[in-house]
Amino acid sequence: MELSVFFAGTGGSVPTQRRGLPAILIRRGGERILVDCGEGTQRQLLRSVGLTEIDEIFLTHLHADHWLGLPGMLKTFDLRARELPLRIHGPRGTAELVDGLLRFAGRTTYELRIEELDGGELLERDGYDVLPVRVSHRGPALGYVFDELDRPGVFDPRAAVAAGLTPGPEFGRVQRGETVRGVTPEQVMGPVRSGRKLTISGDTRPCDALCEAAYRSDLLIHEATFAIEEAQRADQTGHSTAAQAAGIARDAEVSLLALNHFSIRYPVRVLREEARAVFANTVLPRDFDTIELPFAERGEPRLVRWEDQQPPAAEAEF
Amino acid sequence: MELSVFFAGTGGSVPTQRRGLPAILIRRGGERILVDCGEGTQRQLLRSVGLTEIDEIFLTHLHADHWLGLPGMLKTFDLRARELPLRIHGPRGTAELVDGLLRFAGRTTYELRIEELDGGELLERDGYDVLPVRVSHRGPALGYVFDELDRPGVFDPRAAVAAGLTPGPEFGRVQRGETVRGVTPEQVMGPVRSGRKLTISGDTRPCDALCEAAYRSDLLIHEATFAIEEAQRADQTGHSTAAQAAGIARDAEVSLLALNHFSIRYPVRVLREEARAVFANTVLPRDFDTIELPFAERGEPRLVRWEDQQPPAAEAEF
């Protein structure tokens, strides 16, 4: 099953000519999960991979640059006659926020299911869990860990026959975990293969709880608002430097670190250099870049630049 | 003094790959006036002419597609340490809306001066008036007429000398409207020259009050949400067809009609053809196009496509 992360907006606080406000689209099989929804997110998607239906939305926190795109997107789904309920998760205050916004923007006819999280609640989904982690920003803020369930090891039919099983229903039963005529699954299956793990920090100071939760993630997406020279300001405003983000990646032993939420103060190469000095396998996605997360046996997570992806067919208009 | 209209977003209700949500930037000398502020307006400006300080904002009505870009833009001005107060005008409900939005998005440190309008109040500015006109949409909605004051006629120094005046202070006094030694300004000045007039409909059904207020505008920007085949739906939803907008332009004897706020249902050429059958001098701006409005003696209003304008210097980032 394909798993990838699409960077719909990689800026922070204010948009720039090149970077939209925070929004990350997780694509797993046919599922579409949005993490944060800065102003303009619906149009960022329209201009790139298309604005498909979103199955679930996770807000990291309630600062305006992370949700101002929500009411417009919810209204667009409504104009398209969406019928499926939409789940929206976020820290305490999310329900009041969404309710307040829609009082002005107008209600949706489809149902919104708002769930407020404190961090620590394990949300079980089909084939993966979502773990919200309380992080350290100004006001309630969450990181999220998306953690696929382990997959059974690879079945070895020759070993099964050698152990005395007959091809057919017996093979199926042992693969599903049953001991069949004394033959245990362990005898005929390879080692359990772990699922993929993706951690998103949201806005935060360097945070031990997040570092722990991110342990051995295939991909950590961590904010890097400031450069080292403004470490004090980062702390005061509840943000991280690129080097601090890289320190979390190193300590959590992740495979790949992707930085986002850059201040407009510096050229991003400054942040890239500072981060790579601490953790070499660091990338700084631009808007519309994708990170593909293959299963471990099929390769490493890798950044694919937007210009290397198939451009969508131009919209016929004139 | 230069006067032009920049189309920051020409779509309606929902954005498309090519068209952002409604926003029109009026540039008069150094003044910047924004009419409506759909989601993503600040980024549309960043991607084109730059997000300069805005002097005044006029909202046509309070449907979300016309104001969702407002809180983000107000916050960005705040992060830039704006100090000048910002005037925001709109129909009844504007104060409650802005207050409600900033309760969630955070207050600005600079002052917001909200003025609610019913239509009919003449707002006097330096060199022009703004007249809000109550139009016919769903709920309170306004069109706006921007009407420059007349300029004095051209002074004729030879006629002044022939009439017996002496070059110097006497010339100045007669040009400022004084009768000097029996010589009246009319004797030595050409006919009064009219200023430029710009009318913006906002969202509306065909509206007599707007047609009357738009009389002899240099430019009428009128919404054209639907094609003729959906005239009934246009009426039900409080919108106009392109042909109806063209009928207003014809009856108001405007120089140029620019259509905007298109539904995504049709290719825009359908709307263009239907409008031009009624009023030939009709244009359909795309995002980032400009209409220049020279003084009458210097030429007609004209559409300048974005690709024919000087592109801004690329933002250095990588």
Side-chain angles (χ1 to χ4, degrees):
Chain A
M1 181 175 285
E2 284 191 22
L3 176 65
S4 68
V5 174
F6 176 80
F7 291 84
T10 58
S13 307
V14 295
T16 69
Q17 202 179 49
R18 291 183 184 227
R19 294 186 186 271
L21 291 164
I24 291 170
L25 181 69
I26 302 171
R27 299 178 287 190
R28 181 175 184 273
E31 261 186 286
R32 298 292 177 267
I33 299 162
L34 189 66
V35 181
D36 285 334
C37 189
E39 183 188 347
T41 296
Q42 61 171 332
R43 184 124 194 266
Q44 289 286 92
L45 293 172
L46 281 164
R47 292 170 65 92
S48 54
V49 294
L51 177 60
T52 51
E53 295 304 299
I54 303 290
D55 296 291
E56 210 163 353
I57 297 176
F58 291 87
L59 299 180
T60 60
H61 63 297
L62 304 186
H63 289 158
D65 52 325
H66 290 255
W67 56 256
L68 266 171
L70 190 59
M73 177 180 284
L74 298 183
K75 293 295 293 175
T76 294
F77 291 154
D78 210 35
L79 286 166
R80 288 184 183 176
R82 178 184 174 117
E83 291 182 353
L84 281 179
L86 178 61
R87 281 191 287 206
I88 303 176
H89 307 267
R92 297 280 152 196
T94 300
E96 192 192 341
L97 171 70
V98 175
D99 185 69
L101 292 174
L102 295 190
R103 199 160 54 229
F104 292 112
R107 304 283 160 199
T108 60
T109 52
Y110 60 93
E111 187 193 350
L112 298 179
R113 295 184 184 159
I114 317 276
E115 193 175 344
E116 297 188 348
L117 304 167
D118 290 312
E121 309 90 334
L122 194 72
L123 311 178
E124 295 183 9
R125 296 291 178 265
D126 185 15
Y128 63 97
D129 296 326
V130 185
L131 180 69
V133 181
R134 180 144 198 146
V135 294
S136 172
H137 191 45
R138 310 187 313 276
L142 301 168
Y144 292 100
V145 180
F146 297 82
D147 199 0
E148 283 185 324
L149 305 184
D150 288 342
R151 294 164 298 145
V154 178
F155 176 66
D156 181 346
R158 298 173 68 127
V161 168
L165 296 186
T166 313
E170 286 186 350
F171 276 23
R173 282 164 57 204
V174 77
Q175 285 187 67
R176 286 190 294 274
E178 238 178 90
T179 297
V180 179
R181 294 201 282 120
V183 180
T184 66
E186 290 68 28
Q187 286 176 260
V188 297
M189 311 267 290
V192 163
R193 295 168 296 172
S194 51
R196 294 157 293 190
K197 184 173 174 181
L198 161 66
T199 301
I200 299 177
S201 73
D203 286 13
T204 184
R205 296 179 187 87
C207 171
D208 289 343
L210 186 83
C211 184
E212 198 172 307
Y215 184 63
R216 296 214 161 158
S217 289
D218 297 278
L219 172 63
L220 168 63
I221 301 172
H222 201 292
E223 72 123 296
T225 310
F226 292 103
I228 288 168
E229 65 178 36
E230 292 201 270
Q232 197 180 354
R233 185 164 161 73
D235 187 59
Q236 283 164 357
T237 56
H239 289 291
S240 299
T241 67
Q244 286 169 333
I248 299 286
R250 178 197 57 209
D251 296 347
E253 301 175 27
V254 308
S255 300
L256 179 65
L257 169 65
L259 301 179
N260 68 353
H261 202 272
F262 311 121
S263 164
I264 56 175
R265 289 154 205 265
Y266 331 97
V268 294
R269 67 176 159 69
V270 171
L271 303 175
R272 183 169 50 218
E273 283 161 18
E274 290 184 2
R276 286 188 178 166
V278 177
F279 186 79
N281 207 9
T282 299
V283 293
L284 286 76
R286 300 173 196 150
D287 281 16
F288 302 171
D289 287 352
T290 293
I291 292 180
E292 291 173 357
L293 292 163
F295 283 117
E297 66 269 22
R298 297 201 188 148
E300 296 290 310
R302 72 183 191 106
L303 176 71
V304 185
R305 293 287 185 194
W306 173 241
E307 56 270 27
D308 298 326
Q309 298 172 51
Q310 187 61 31
E315 183 177 285
E317 191 176 47
F318 290 94
Chain B
M1 180 174 285
E2 283 191 21
L3 176 65
S4 68
V5 174
F6 176 79
F7 291 84
T10 58
S13 306
V14 295
T16 69
Q17 203 179 47
R18 291 184 183 226
R19 294 187 186 271
L21 290 163
I24 292 170
L25 181 68
I26 301 171
R27 298 180 288 190
R28 181 175 184 274
E31 261 186 285
R32 298 291 177 268
I33 298 161
L34 189 66
V35 180
D36 285 334
C37 189
E39 183 188 347
T41 296
Q42 60 171 333
R43 184 123 194 268
Q44 290 285 92
L45 292 172
L46 281 164
R47 294 172 64 93
S48 54
V49 293
L51 178 60
T52 52
E53 295 303 299
I54 303 289
D55 297 290
E56 210 163 351
I57 297 176
F58 291 87
L59 299 179
T60 60
H61 63 297
L62 303 185
H63 290 158
D65 52 325
H66 290 255
W67 56 256
L68 266 170
L70 190 59
M73 177 180 286
L74 298 183
K75 295 294 292 175
T76 294
F77 291 153
D78 211 34
L79 286 166
R80 289 183 182 177
R82 177 183 175 119
E83 292 182 352
L84 280 179
L86 178 61
R87 282 191 287 205
I88 303 176
H89 306 266
R92 297 281 151 195
T94 299
E96 192 193 341
L97 171 71
V98 174
D99 184 71
L101 292 173
L102 295 189
R103 200 160 55 229
F104 292 112
R107 303 283 161 198
T108 60
T109 52
Y110 60 92
E111 186 194 350
L112 297 178
R113 296 183 183 159
I114 317 276
E115 193 176 343
E116 297 188 345
L117 304 166
D118 291 312
E121 309 90 334
L122 194 73
L123 311 178
E124 295 183 9
R125 297 292 178 263
D126 185 14
Y128 63 97
D129 296 326
V130 185
L131 179 70
V133 180
R134 181 146 199 146
V135 294
S136 171
H137 191 45
R138 309 186 313 275
L142 300 168
Y144 292 100
V145 181
F146 297 83
D147 198 1
E148 283 184 325
L149 305 185
D150 288 342
R151 293 166 297 148
V154 179
F155 176 65
D156 182 347
R158 298 171 69 128
V161 167
L165 296 186
T166 312
E170 285 187 353
F171 275 23
R173 283 163 59 204
V174 77
Q175 283 186 67
R176 286 191 294 275
E178 236 179 89
T179 296
V180 179
R181 294 201 284 120
V183 179
T184 65
E186 290 70 27
Q187 286 176 261
V188 297
M189 313 268 289
V192 164
R193 295 168 297 170
S194 50
R196 293 156 295 190
K197 185 173 175 182
L198 161 65
T199 300
I200 299 177
S201 73
D203 285 13
T204 185
R205 297 180 187 88
C207 171
D208 288 344
L210 186 84
C211 184
E212 198 171 308
Y215 183 64
R216 295 214 162 160
S217 290
D218 296 278
L219 173 63
L220 168 64
I221 301 173
H222 201 292
E223 72 121 295
T225 309
F226 292 103
I228 289 169
E229 65 179 36
E230 293 202 89
Q232 197 180 354
R233 185 163 161 73
D235 186 59
Q236 283 163 356
T237 56
H239 288 291
S240 299
T241 66
Q244 286 169 333
I248 299 287
R250 177 198 57 210
D251 296 348
E253 300 176 27
V254 308
S255 299
L256 179 64
L257 169 65
L259 300 179
N260 69 353
H261 201 274
F262 311 121
S263 165
I264 55 175
R265 289 153 205 264
Y266 332 95
V268 293
R269 66 176 160 69
V270 172
L271 303 175
R272 184 169 50 219
E273 282 162 18
E274 290 184 2
R276 285 188 178 167
V278 177
F279 186 79
N281 206 10
T282 299
V283 292
L284 286 75
R286 301 172 195 150
D287 282 15
F288 303 169
D289 287 352
T290 293
I291 292 180
E292 292 173 357
L293 291 162
F295 284 117
E297 66 269 24
R298 296 200 188 149
E300 295 291 310
R302 73 185 190 106
L303 176 71
V304 184
R305 293 288 186 194
W306 172 241
E307 57 270 26
D308 298 327
Q309 298 172 50
Q310 186 62 30
E315 185 176 285
E317 191 176 45
F318 290 95

